[in-house]
Amino acid sequence: MKKTILFVIDSLDCAGAEKSLISLLYLLDYSEYSVDLMLFAHGKMLENLVPKEVNVLKPLKYTNFARMDLKKAFISSFIKNDYKMLKARIKYSISIRKNNFNNAQKARIFWESISNVIEKNPKLYDIAISYAQGVPTFYVSEKINAKKKFAWVNTSYKLDENEKNFQKSFYDRFNNIVAVSKTAEKILLETFPYYYSKTKVIYDINNPNLIFKLAKIGKSYNDDYQGIRILTIGRLSPGKGYDLALKACKMLKEKGVIFKWYVLGKGPLQKEIERSVKENELIDNFVLLGVEANPYTFIQNADIYVQTSRFEGYGLAIAEARMLNVPVVTTRFDSVFNQMINEKNGLVVDMSAEAVYEGVLKLIENLTLRDEIIKYLMAEKKVMWRS
């Protein structure tokens, strides 16, 4: 009899944890495992990459309710004479508007508001895996019946005392907690030292064969530009350091370098970044491409990959650039040396615009160094995952 596995994640939008999950799903032996996938938001970009053997579960009742506009939600509640979901939705909407909350706080407020209207999954699983912290973890902890439960932590998980106390009761119910890097594990155990015995490291999962295949079939840059292409991938959010990228971009232009710096991503800073691009006259140099479910052809056709993150659980996009033999310039975030060797597979620089600028300029001007890095990357063993 096949073992049953449930994976739970917020959505399959185009980001590191989501791509890691897709890679993992392609590595499973479906003659041995029956796999369900639970999402809290549907219709995102990577859903069409889910293997056909995976059973994507129907949306939760609340998920469908939350997608209605408010007028329809009122009418639906009135017709059914059931106002629990409406009250939960209004409670969350009011609570979330009161302040600028971080992701951990938003997840807590969401769960405190709506958990009582989220139905349990009646199925007994052999293994249930929360593939992201926050709501997926709360859901697997409270609403899933499984012989073993595993929680993935794919970011630097620093929590204040309130969030720590709230989340402890959920993590207590998991058999193991998986961090995606040694650094992520260290920060997790600083927050929850009593989970030392059940915490382990499994680096973000890559499937080289899938990446190489997708790099051959995806679309790429649609301009006729023939100069140096720089690429950055990541959510347009403060943690990704786009302020550093923009300043470094401006310095390169003022230096007279011929280049285009492309960005794959979306997020809350988009309007601010677009405004900065215009104000600094970088329209021809700093190009926002939006998001692509398959970014690998863009990576493969870039000359340099740049990551300006202030923190990363692992840095999956860097791993993907390395896999496609593209030289990397990255800031020195906490977990960077889990995969980077400075001046071997790329350059690791200080977390400043000046350092990013100098690193990128060095790779543009020093063709010998760039060629040496490419040769090193080509010789690197392309692993699926490490633990």
Side-chain angles (χ1 to χ4, degrees), residues 12 17 70 74 89 97 109 166 220 234 252 316 346 349 368 384:
L12 285 177
L70 202 53
F74 269 103
R89 180 173 168 178
R97 291 174 183 171
I109 293 167
F166 176 78
S220 188
L252 288 169
L316 187 59
V349 302
T368 300
M384 291 184 182

Side-chain angles (χ1 to χ4, degrees), residues 152-155 178-182 184-185 200-204 313-314 338:
W152 244 252
V153 174
N154 48 45
T155 188
V178 176
V180 299
S181 70
K182 289 289 187 183
E185 178 191 44
K200 66 179 298 183
V201 173
I202 298 178
Y203 285 81
D204 259 333
Y314 176 62
N338 286 307

Side-chain angles (χ1 to χ4, degrees), residues 275-289:
R275 183 168 57 251
S276 182
V277 167
K278 290 180 181 178
E279 289 174 353
N280 290 285
E281 299 180 347
L282 297 174
I283 292 174
D284 294 328
N285 299 96
F286 202 85
V287 183
L288 299 179
L289 298 172

Side-chain angles (χ1 to χ4, degrees), residues 127-138:
I127 301 170
I129 299 172
S130 162
Y131 212 75
Q133 52 284 319
V135 173
T137 297
F138 307 154

Side-chain angles (χ1 to χ4, degrees), residues 116-209:
N116 65 324
V117 297
I118 297 292
E119 65 268 27
K120 289 186 176 182
N121 185 324
K123 187 173 178 178
L124 172 62
Y125 290 93
D126 290 299
I127 301 170
I129 299 172
S130 162
Y131 212 75
Q133 52 284 319
V135 173
T137 297
F138 307 154
Y139 176 78
V140 170
S141 177
E142 280 196 349
K143 304 293 184 177
I144 297 298
N145 188 13
K147 296 175 184 177
K148 290 186 177 180
K149 295 183 179 182
F150 300 90
W152 244 252
V153 174
N154 48 45
T155 188
S156 297
Y157 213 39
K158 297 177 181 178
L159 300 174
D160 62 29
E161 199 64 24
N162 188 38
E163 304 312 318
K164 172 183 170 182
N165 293 335
F166 176 78
Q167 295 200 19
K168 182 180 181 301
S169 63
F170 296 96
Y171 281 109
D172 282 346
R173 301 188 185 107
F174 284 86
N175 299 87
N176 288 103
I177 302 173
V178 176
V180 299
S181 70
K182 289 289 187 183
T183 304
E185 178 191 44
K186 178 177 179 291
I187 294 171
L188 173 70
L189 291 176
E190 287 172 357
T191 305
F192 298 114
Y194 25 82
Y195 293 148
Y196 179 84
S197 62
K198 68 178 185 180
T199 299
K200 66 179 298 183
V201 173
I202 298 178
Y203 285 81
D204 259 333
I205 295 166
N206 280 308
N207 183 341
N209 293 332

